[in-house]
């Protein structure tokens, strides 16, 4: 009887250890998954709070307005190291200007209107937008 | 066995519920912060003003508007001035008056339907939110007009409306 009770007791202890292990595994898994969700959320929120989109918008629209009001012979320089951040690219396509600022690519761009020919040239430390007669 | 299955399923359900709750809370906070931090800079009024200056330079060069050379462009004012691909966003109108104030010619291009929004805004008055309205600029001033080979004093009335870029 004593032997049986010892075996029963040992079995019970093993069951309790397995249950504790399962509980620990489950808890750790939940902590990891929730941690992943929160870290993705913090990264996304940081991108929004740094207002990269607003700065990119400002640079694009300022350039569009400069092109709109430009006349042949004018040129505008945009330094790559800019007050609003690092300008990685300036391009013109289908009557729109696209600016890549702080590694944020412009998806929609902003339309400009001009009667003249507009071109962009990339130099070592700046971009130059030129307006010429058609 | 049933109890054991029930126990393991209960753990999965709890995990699923907790994760869903965390997702929902994170999504709500992210949505509110996106609304708070995202700002749109509106430059439509500035575009309307710049376009009106360009049109004025086009139709009245050095204060002289040659209506004879504009014949055939009554509904294509932007095309006449060399803005070939801009019809969709803009409505432009140039009206020419004689010295008695009678309108003798009108040139326009675009959809004039949106001007009712401007009239509504002006009639309501107050400090209304600019983002809900198109950009608008109107101008009138004296000019010499050449019509049928004759030069006379007159007046030009310009109107430019700029819609949202989307």
């Amino acid at each position: 009887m004593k032997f049986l009770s010892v075996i029963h007791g040992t079995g019970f202890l093993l069951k309790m250890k397995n249950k504790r292990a399962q509980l620990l595994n489950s808890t750790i898994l939940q902590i990891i998954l929730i941690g992943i969700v929160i870290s993705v959320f913090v990264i996304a929120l940081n991108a929004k709070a740094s207002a990269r989109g607003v700065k990119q918008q400002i640079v694009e629209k300022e350039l569009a307005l400069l092109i709109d009001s430009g006349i042949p012979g004018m040129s505008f320089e945009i330094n790559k190291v800019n007050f609003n951040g690092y300008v990685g690219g300036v391009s013109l396509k289908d009557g729109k200007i696209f600016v890549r600022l702080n590694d944020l690519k412009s998806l929609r761009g902003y339309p400009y209107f001009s009667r003249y020919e507009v071109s962009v040239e990339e130099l070592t430390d700046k971009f130059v937008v030129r307006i010429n007669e058609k | 066995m049933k109890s054991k299955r029930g126990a393991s399923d209960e753990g999965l359900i709890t995990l699923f519920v907790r994760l869903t709750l965390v997702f929902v809370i994170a999504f709500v906070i992210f949505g509110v912060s996106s609304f708070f931090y995202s700002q749109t800079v509106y430059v439509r009024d500035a575009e309307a003003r710049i376009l009106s200056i360009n049109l004025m330079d086009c139709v009245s060069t050095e204060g002289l508007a040659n209506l004879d050379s504009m014949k055939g462009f009554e509904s294509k004012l932007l095309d006449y001035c060399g803005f070939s691909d801009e019809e969709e966003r803009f409505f432009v109108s140039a009206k020419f008056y004689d010295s008695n104030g009678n309108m003798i010619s009108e040139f326009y291009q675009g959809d004039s339907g949106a001007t009712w929004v401007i009239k509504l805004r002006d009639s309501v008055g107050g400090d209304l939110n600019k983002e809900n309205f198109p950009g608008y600029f109107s101008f009138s001033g004296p000019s010499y007009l050449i019509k049928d080979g004759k030069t006379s004093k007159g007046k030009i009335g310009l109107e430019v409306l700029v819609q949202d870029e989307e």
Side-chain angles (χ1 to χ4, degrees):
Chain A
M1 285 299 289
K2 272 191 182 177
F3 179 69
L4 283 172
S5 68
V6 166
I7 291 174
H8 182 71
T10 310
F12 177 74
L13 281 173
L14 280 172
K15 276 185 191 174
M16 284 302 295
K17 277 186 184 173
N18 284 337
K19 278 191 181 173
R20 278 182 216 159
Q22 278 176 8
L23 188 63
L24 185 64
N25 283 343
S26 150
T27 305
I28 288 172
L29 181 64
Q30 287 182 19
I31 288 171
I32 288 170
L33 284 172
I34 290 172
I36 290 170
V37 169
I38 289 176
S39 55
V40 167
F41 160 70
V42 167
I43 288 167
L45 192 63
N46 184 45
K48 276 286 177 187
S50 64
R52 282 193 308 168
V54 178
K55 289 175 184 174
Q56 181 195 56
Q57 212 189 129
I58 287 171
V59 175
E60 265 181 3
K61 289 181 179 176
E62 277 181 347
L63 280 176
L65 289 178
L66 283 170
I67 292 171
D68 293 345
S69 53
I71 56 175
M74 275 187 172
S75 62
F76 314 107
E77 294 180 355
I78 307 107
N79 290 325
K80 288 187 178 178
V81 178
N82 199 287
F83 173 77
N84 288 303
Y86 180 76
V87 178
V90 176
S91 59
L92 305 171
K93 190 181 174 188
D94 296 332
K96 289 187 178 184
I97 184 162
F98 298 84
V99 174
R100 192 171 77 243
L101 187 77
N102 292 332
D103 290 327
L104 182 64
K105 201 174 171 185
S106 173
L107 296 174
R108 295 189 313 184
Y110 195 75
Y112 62 89
F113 55 86
S114 179
R115 292 183 278 173
Y116 311 110
E117 189 183 320
V118 186
S119 60
V120 176
E121 183 188 354
E122 182 177 359
L123 301 178
T124 317
D125 58 342
K126 60 188 172 187
F127 294 91
V128 181
V129 177
R130 291 198 173 85
I131 299 177
N132 297 306
E133 287 278 6
K134 272 189 179 172
Chain B
M1 283 304 292
K2 277 189 184 174
S3 295
K4 281 189 182 175
R5 275 186 216 154
S8 64
D9 287 346
E10 186 188 351
L12 279 174
I13 290 170
T14 309
L15 174 65
F16 179 73
V17 168
R18 282 182 188 170
L19 272 180
T20 307
L21 195 61
V22 170
F23 265 120
V24 167
I25 292 170
F27 191 73
V28 166
I29 295 174
F30 185 72
V32 170
S33 63
S34 292
F35 178 76
F36 181 75
Y37 284 116
S38 64
Q39 297 283 341
T40 304
V41 178
Y42 293 97
V43 296
R44 292 192 287 259
D45 281 335
E47 287 182 294
R49 193 175 285 256
I50 291 169
L51 185 56
S52 69
I53 293 170
N54 283 326
L55 286 176
M56 196 63 179
D57 286 341
C58 167
V59 301
S60 179
T61 309
E62 294 179 350
L64 185 63
N66 190 343
L67 300 181
D68 294 336
S69 68
M70 293 171 69
K71 276 184 183 170
F73 290 92
E74 283 78 6
S75 62
K76 293 179 185 176
L77 181 56
L78 285 172
D79 289 349
Y80 173 77
C81 291
F83 298 99
S84 52
D85 299 322
E86 314 295 339
E87 297 91 5
E88 291 175 8
R89 287 181 65 211
F90 303 119
F91 167 72
V92 296
S93 163
K95 294 177 182 172
F96 299 88
Y97 304 87
D98 62 16
S99 52
N100 297 324
N102 302 314
M103 191 173 80
I104 55 175
S105 229
E106 183 185 0
F107 297 84
Y108 70 94
Q109 188 162 352
D111 179 16
S112 64
T115 52
W116 72 268
V117 177
I118 301 301
K119 288 170 189 166
L120 179 67
R121 181 191 68 183
D122 292 341
S123 63
V124 168
D127 189 20
L128 297 174
N129 204 349
K130 280 187 181 181
E131 63 195 60
N132 298 323
F133 295 96
Y136 182 78
F137 185 73
S138 66
F139 162 82
S140 64
S143 178
Y144 282 94
L145 309 177
I146 299 177
K147 189 170 169 67
D148 299 327
K150 293 178 188 170
T151 305
S152 58
K153 269 188 184 178
K155 199 168 116 178
I156 297 177
L158 272 178
E159 197 179 13
V160 174
L161 189 127
V162 179
Q163 302 269 30
D164 194 1
E165 62 272 16
E166 286 178 331

